[in-house]
Amino acid sequence: MKEYMDKAEKYLLKTYNRYQIVLDKGDGVYLYDVNGKKYLDFAAGIAVFALGYGNKEYNDALKAQIDKIIHTSNLFYNVPAIEAAEKIVKSTGMKKVFFTNSGTEAIEGALKVARKYAYNKDNTKEYEIIAMNHSFHGRSQGALSVTGNAKYQEGFVPKDCVAVFADFNDLEDVKSKVTENTCAVICEPVQGEGGVFPADPEFLIGLRKLCDEKDILLIFDEVQCGMGRTGTLYAHEQYGVKPDVMALAKALGCGVPVGAFVVNEKADGALVPGDHGTTYGGNPLATAAVSKVYDLYEELHLLDHVKEVGAYLDKKLDELAQKYDHVKEHRGVGLIHGLEFDQPVGTMITKAMEQGVIFINAGANTLRFVPPLIIEKEHVDEMIHVLEGLIKEL
Ligand SMILES: *Cc1c(COP(=O)(O)O)cnc(C)c1O
């Protein structure tokens, strides 16, 4: 492994401090490094691999698509993109889909929709977007401008940055930041990277009302909390609050790089031909994956499964939070959970890896649990056993 890691540091731009393992393959909810060591995966490639590794039906669908055609460009129609878009529209009750290659690009597109929506009303070129503190929306200039994390923004925020930040779950704070230039409010129904913070129902309900009153767009970033992660296909379903624009990615393609932004009736028509584009976005390989993902979620009754195993994980993490003073708080829903400690969790993550369990963090002091959605209760027990041992060592 050392040889590979040395080579990686030699050739890959150093923007990550990577964990010291080289992953090689996966099987179900387990990963294997190049030495053949097995790891129980509670990260799923950062909430991506919902179906676990090596789902035969999924792999076969991709292999078949590779043999047919991988790429066509958006100058032509292709069947997988049409079918995938139909599934997204029917499952959201929204109107239209634009496919991207990543979550960041889905956010970029959503922001453009909001700006254009305002522009179409009165030709205004002045825009402000209200975003939340501790949010995460991506690393491009636009997505970064609405990411409420000083560490990520430092040195990179564009000069014409139009974002104004409010406190998550503080409706009065959001209201106080609205001006005549506000064109959108963007938030994650469950903040992921920021530390796993689910929104309060009153907050999202209040945002919906506010955006309707002001005729501005409500953008939900469901890149991490969408695609069944919370136990409903989309997190906002649990709140009974619908966005005008929604961003999806991560588990949307279950491993194939793909994202999407979805618009409702109100936001549809903001962008017209020529306003937005992408070479790869919605290519047949990526959208064949999306289409298969939607089919498999149904076939496997995955949402029911997430509710059941999610409730079990919830109970087990609650028990740890009650038992150990080092655990400050447990937050989460479905199969996205965070355990906040009174100290940084980096060492615990490294030790867990040595013992064959993969965790990631969400902020310095919070362990994040975003396993493949096919995880079973016995895997939760296996993980809890290792985790409890590590908490006792603190
Ligand atoms: C990961 C993430 C993004 C960015 O997605 P990429 O695919 O990494 O570009 C945006 N928003 C949220 C909520 C995310 O978790």
Side-chain angles (χ1 to χ4, degrees):
M1 288 217 279
K2 173 100 176 43
E3 212 171 295
Y4 284 120
M5 291 189 284
D6 288 347
K7 218 168 180 177
E9 296 307 333
K10 184 164 175 201
Y11 293 115
L12 291 171
L13 192 70
K14 181 98 184 138
T15 63
Y16 280 93
N17 289 312
R18 291 176 218 271
Y19 295 114
Q20 297 297 296
I21 53 175
V22 184
L23 291 173
D24 185 41
K25 59 178 186 182
D27 181 18
V29 296
Y30 291 97
L31 286 164
Y32 295 82
D33 67 21
V34 289
N35 292 337
K37 181 174 168 180
K38 186 178 176 185
Y39 302 86
L40 174 62
D41 182 19
F42 263 78
I46 319 186
V48 168
F49 257 95
L51 298 169
Y53 305 97
N55 180 291
K56 188 168 182 320
E57 215 178 302
Y58 171 86
N59 286 2
D60 286 348
L62 287 188
K63 286 173 194 168
Q65 189 59 50
I66 286 171
D67 287 338
K68 255 180 149 178
I69 192 165
I70 293 175
H71 179 75
T72 57
S73 94
N74 282 304
L75 301 177
F76 310 95
Y77 297 101
N78 79 71
V79 177
I82 299 163
E83 289 180 350
E86 182 180 19
K87 286 171 191 173
I88 294 176
V89 165
K90 290 197 167 152
S91 65
T92 54
M94 294 173 79
K95 196 79 189 296
K96 300 273 176 67
V97 181
F98 184 101
F99 287 111
T100 66
N101 308 295
S102 67
T104 300
E105 286 169 86
I107 294 296
E108 290 292 329
L111 298 178
K112 278 179 75 173
V113 170
R115 295 179 70 148
K116 191 72 192 299
Y117 182 83
Y119 179 81
N120 288 344
K121 271 193 293 187
D122 54 10
N123 277 11
T124 179
K125 293 197 174 77
E126 302 288 323
Y127 314 95
E128 279 170 14
I129 292 166
I130 300 177
M132 303 303 142
N133 288 316
H134 306 296
S135 61
F136 183 84
H137 300 294
R139 304 296 200 114
S140 64
Q141 298 260 301
L144 189 61
S145 75
V146 289
T147 289
N149 182 326
K151 196 179 81 190
Y152 294 157
Q153 282 202 335
E154 174 131 21
F156 295 113
V157 183
K159 224 160 97 195
D160 64 343
C161 175
V162 292
V164 180
F165 289 92
D167 283 340
F168 188 60
N169 279 336
D170 186 343
L171 187 62
E172 291 313 311
D173 195 26
V174 175
K175 281 183 181 166
S176 76
K177 306 263 156 85
V178 175
T179 73
E180 58 180 9
N181 292 332
T182 306
C183 69
V185 177
I186 181 167
C187 91
E188 300 154 82
V190 180
Q191 286 193 332
E193 305 291 319
V196 188
F197 289 94
D200 297 334
E202 314 81 65
F203 182 62
L204 295 192
I205 292 164
L207 288 185
R208 180 67 276 173
K209 201 159 158 262
L210 177 69
C211 290
D212 287 341
E213 277 165 18
K214 304 281 178 190
D215 191 21
I216 56 181
L217 298 187
L218 179 59
I219 303 170
F220 281 165
D221 180 345
E222 293 228 13
V223 168
Q224 186 159 164
C225 62
M227 296 313 291
R229 178 73 35 207
T230 63
T232 46
L233 193 49
Y234 308 106
H236 68 255
E237 291 171 42
Q238 300 188 29
Y239 295 87
V241 176
K242 289 185 167 220
D244 298 307
V245 187
M246 174 169 66
L248 294 172
K250 290 203 162 90
L252 180 62
C254 279
V256 170
V258 62
F261 64 88
V262 193
V263 298
N264 68 1
E265 178 95 42
K266 177 172 158 189
D268 181 30
L271 297 181
V272 296
D275 274 353
H276 199 51
T278 165
T279 300
Y280 281 130
N283 94 8
L285 182 63
T287 47
V290 174
S291 210
K292 196 39 117 180
V293 165
Y294 275 83
D295 292 349
L296 284 168
Y297 270 53
E298 277 193 19
E299 254 173 61
L300 299 170
H301 305 289
L302 205 54
L303 299 174
D304 290 339
H305 182 76
V306 171
K307 285 188 193 111
E308 192 188 329
V309 182
Y312 187 69
L313 175 63
D314 187 66
K315 185 177 121 225
K316 290 284 162 186
L317 292 175
D318 262 352
E319 283 169 14
L320 291 184
Q322 263 150 39
K323 204 159 151 193
Y324 297 100
D325 286 345
H326 287 298
V327 183
K328 288 284 136 209
E329 197 171 45
H330 165 222
R331 301 178 290 267
V333 50
L335 284 173
I336 177 166
H337 288 263
L339 215 51
E340 188 179 326
F341 287 81
D342 59 359
Q343 56 192 282
V345 294
T347 311
M348 218 180 339
I349 292 175
T350 309
K351 284 187 180 169
M353 221 166 280
E354 283 161 19
Q355 296 179 34
V357 178
I358 292 186
F359 291 124
I360 49 176
N361 62 318
N365 293 4
T366 301
L367 269 190
R368 178 170 22 162
F369 305 81
V370 283
L373 301 184
I374 58 161
I375 204 125
E376 298 286 349
K377 288 178 188 168
E378 70 210 46
H379 302 122
V380 172
D381 289 338
E382 190 183 334
M383 176 279 288
I384 292 284
H385 176 73
V386 170
L387 178 59
E388 184 158 16
L390 292 171
I391 296 175
K392 281 181 183 156
E393 282 178 29
L394 287 177

